[in-house]
Amino acid sequence: MRKIFITATGVVLLLLLAVYGLLQYRQYSSYQNRIHQQASLIFKINVDHIVKKRGLSNLKSDARGFGVPANIFIYTVTNKSALTFFCSLPVTDTVELKTYLKKAFRINHFIVNAQGSVWGNNQDQSIKIAYDDRNVVFCYSLLKENVNDIMGELLAGKSFLADTADRIVRLKKEGAPIVYDFKNYSGQASLADHHILLTGTFPVEGFGVTDSLKCPAALAKGLSVNAWINGNLSGLLTKDIRFKDYILEKDSLLKYYKGYAAMEVGNSVNQSQSVISYTFNDEFEQVEQVVQKEVKVPEITLSFKGNTSPLVHYLQKQRVIGSDNQLNKELFPLYEVYGKYDNRELQFSTNKARPIASATVITPYFLFAELDFDQLSKHNQFTIFNSYIKDLSALKVKAIKQNREVGKVEIELKFNGDINF
């Protein structure tokens, strides 16, 4: 009996060692040839950590055609836009992969190049893919830019960070479910029930954070968006703003802007809009008729502290606003936007009757943003975003300045009851 017990114990220990070894190998192999050497902002998703927390049964093996490693890396690249993200994964079955890409990512255009690799994109080209029998590369971008060079290098297994690189070593030490690494800054996210909480550090030089930190003294009820920033933004606004035939020189904007901006989106307000219809005159000729129609639009308000008189004069000169301080319809055709100002603040709002609320109080945050997705969905104010925010409940961003170079950020994203971590 004792011999059987010892044998059984040995078998169990061997199985545990085998499982441990497998998990360690999954961790090791997930860092091999997955991150481009020019990666800028890197997010690491620790899949094994999340699966362990939720239970192995929660990770189902769908017929997707690619493997799910212990860690998945999503990142930007230095010579591409900060709004363009890359990721590569191992391929297990090219037939299943193509079917999955069509269904999950709506890839509707595929071509095969001379090397036999497959390239594709969705209808608006925000998602691009490339794959062969070894790897699949994903690219998601809010901008339409040429990313074939980076995708080609990833697909060919070139230009990767070595697993001994400092950034890889730092990422290996982090055991949180989600972490990010950017230059010498890092952070991590925790998952709990219906929300994600991310905390970390980031560079603040470009914000030009002011010494005195302010926020609105009073807020309206039922806001769906509330945000403010204290900073001269000299490091972020590095180029002139150009749109069609309109130009705003950065030097002029920075000269008149005085380091504080705030935004609110509230309940709906009424606006009168011109609607063109057609009727027939007494001679049965079709004539155009302009009718004023009352519509409901979201109350959007932007406020800026600044040297307002010369700023308004400059905006009028550049045809951004008219002599009545109303925003040029060609720049924002959706709603009427009314401008008004006093000696300290310039305000643009879709609510013509909204008074300037220039009173502020002291705040510890140089950057703050709060979005109530439930309110946005309830009022159906921005229908174009409804499909993207249907699973989200709220987002809150708070940032403080630790010293001249480093800031600390806390981001909390809440999901509705159907999403549970």
Side-chain angles (χ1 to χ4, degrees):
M1 189 70 176
R2 182 180 176 184
K3 187 176 181 180
I4 295 174
F5 175 77
I6 293 174
T7 303
T9 303
V11 171
V12 171
L13 287 174
L14 284 174
L15 288 173
L16 289 174
L17 286 172
V19 171
Y20 176 78
L22 175 62
L23 293 175
Q24 290 300 107
Y25 177 75
R26 275 177 54 79
Q27 286 289 331
Y28 167 79
S29 62
S30 68
Y31 289 91
Q32 305 300 306
N33 299 335
R34 286 298 164 209
I35 306 175
H36 196 277
Q37 64 182 9
Q38 294 183 24
S40 179
L41 172 62
I42 304 173
F43 288 95
K44 182 186 83 169
I45 302 172
N46 191 331
V47 177
D48 280 2
H49 183 287
I50 297 171
V51 169
K52 188 187 300 182
K53 182 178 178 181
R54 297 188 63 185
L56 291 173
S57 60
N58 285 315
L59 185 64
K60 297 179 180 179
S61 179
D62 296 324
R64 51 182 170 257
F66 60 84
V68 181
N71 298 288
I72 294 177
F73 301 95
I74 301 171
Y75 51 88
T76 62
V77 174
T78 52
N79 63 347
K80 301 298 179 183
S81 165
L83 300 176
T84 299
F85 297 86
F86 298 89
C87 177
S88 66
L89 296 169
V91 168
T92 57
D93 188 302
T94 55
V95 175
E96 290 182 345
L97 175 62
K98 187 173 183 178
T99 302
Y100 184 81
L101 293 172
K102 289 179 179 179
K103 179 180 178 182
F105 296 97
R106 298 182 180 179
I107 304 299
N108 58 5
H109 177 71
F110 293 89
I111 60 171
V112 181
N113 66 11
Q115 290 74 38
S117 57
V118 181
W119 293 68
N121 55 263
N122 64 350
Q123 187 169 356
D124 65 5
Q125 297 189 38
S126 60
I127 301 175
K128 296 182 179 180
I129 61 92
Y131 68 86
D132 54 22
D133 58 355
R134 295 172 302 160
N135 295 296
V136 56
V137 178
F138 296 88
C139 176
Y140 174 77
S141 180
L142 295 176
L143 304 175
K144 291 182 179 180
E145 63 175 331
N146 187 355
V147 294
N148 291 355
D149 52 345
I150 300 297
M151 294 183 69
E153 289 175 348
L154 293 173
L155 195 62
K158 299 177 180 178
S159 304
F160 288 110
L161 279 176
D163 65 350
T164 55
D166 291 342
R167 301 188 71 184
I168 298 294
V169 172
R170 287 200 301 269
L171 287 168
K172 286 181 178 180
K173 291 179 180 178
E174 296 288 350
I178 302 173
V179 301
Y180 73 83
D181 184 276
F182 178 69
K183 296 181 179 178
N184 294 320
Y185 307 91
S186 62
Q188 57 182 262
S190 58
L191 311 178
D193 296 332
H194 306 293
H195 75 275
I196 297 176
L197 180 64
L198 184 146
T199 58
T201 57
F202 68 105
V204 296
E205 307 99 299
F207 290 92
V209 181
T210 54
D211 294 329
S212 176
L213 303 182
K214 300 167 283 192
C215 70
L219 296 173
K221 293 183 179 180
L223 291 178
S224 50
V225 179
N226 168 37
W228 70 77
I229 183 169
N230 292 275
N232 61 36
L233 309 182
S234 57
L236 299 180
L237 188 58
T238 57
K239 296 180 180 180
D240 296 340
I241 300 174
R242 299 175 182 270
F243 180 74
K244 294 184 177 179
D245 296 329
Y246 301 90
I247 302 174
L248 289 174
E249 292 99 342
K250 67 178 182 64
D251 291 338
S252 296
L253 294 177
L254 294 173
K255 177 182 177 182
Y256 301 130
Y257 171 67
K258 297 302 178 184
Y260 174 81
M263 177 182 181
E264 291 183 10
V265 178
N267 296 319
S268 297
V269 294
N270 292 325
Q271 281 193 357
S272 180
Q273 291 186 356
S274 299
V275 179
I276 298 175
S277 62
Y278 294 91
T279 186
F280 292 93
N281 59 19
D282 294 338
E283 275 117 32
F284 298 100
E285 296 173 327
Q286 191 178 52
V287 289
E288 184 180 287
Q289 186 177 28
V290 179
V291 179
Q292 295 299 314
K293 181 181 179 182
E294 191 171 89
V295 295
K296 289 189 176 296
V297 304
E299 182 177 0
I300 305 172
T301 303
L302 293 170
S303 304
F304 306 91
K305 298 289 186 187
N307 194 356
T308 53
S309 291
L311 175 57
V312 168
H313 178 73
Y314 174 72
L315 294 177
Q316 290 175 343
K317 178 183 175 184
Q318 301 302 107
R319 298 177 295 123
V320 172
I321 59 176
S323 57
D324 58 356
N325 299 327
Q326 190 166 334
L327 188 67
N328 190 327
K329 263 288 209 180
E330 194 171 70
L331 296 174
F332 192 72
L334 289 178
Y335 315 123
E336 303 287 346
V337 180
Y338 308 96
K340 60 178 64 174
Y341 66 99
D342 58 20
N343 62 345
R344 292 184 300 171
E345 186 166 317
L346 171 62
Q347 173 185 284
F348 292 104
S349 180
T350 55
N351 183 357
K352 189 175 184 178
R354 182 183 174 108
I356 296 176
S358 56
T360 57
V361 294
I362 300 299
T363 175
Y365 310 113
F366 81 85
L367 173 67
F368 180 91
E370 190 172 28
L371 282 74
D372 189 330
F373 296 110
D374 293 332
Q375 282 286 99
L376 287 171
S377 299
K378 176 183 176 183
H379 295 293
N380 201 32
Q381 293 174 328
F382 303 97
T383 54
I384 190 173
F385 298 118
N386 284 352
S387 61
Y388 299 99
I389 66 174
K390 61 184 177 63
D391 294 323
L392 305 177
S393 177
L395 172 68
K396 184 178 288 187
V397 179
K398 298 181 289 186
I400 62 173
K401 180 181 176 181
Q402 290 188 318
N403 56 47
R404 190 171 61 88
E405 297 179 345
V406 181
K408 184 177 180 180
V409 66
E410 179 180 293
I411 302 174
E412 183 178 20
L413 179 60
K414 293 183 180 180
F415 296 82
N416 62 33
D418 297 330
I419 306 295
N420 190 353
F421 297 105

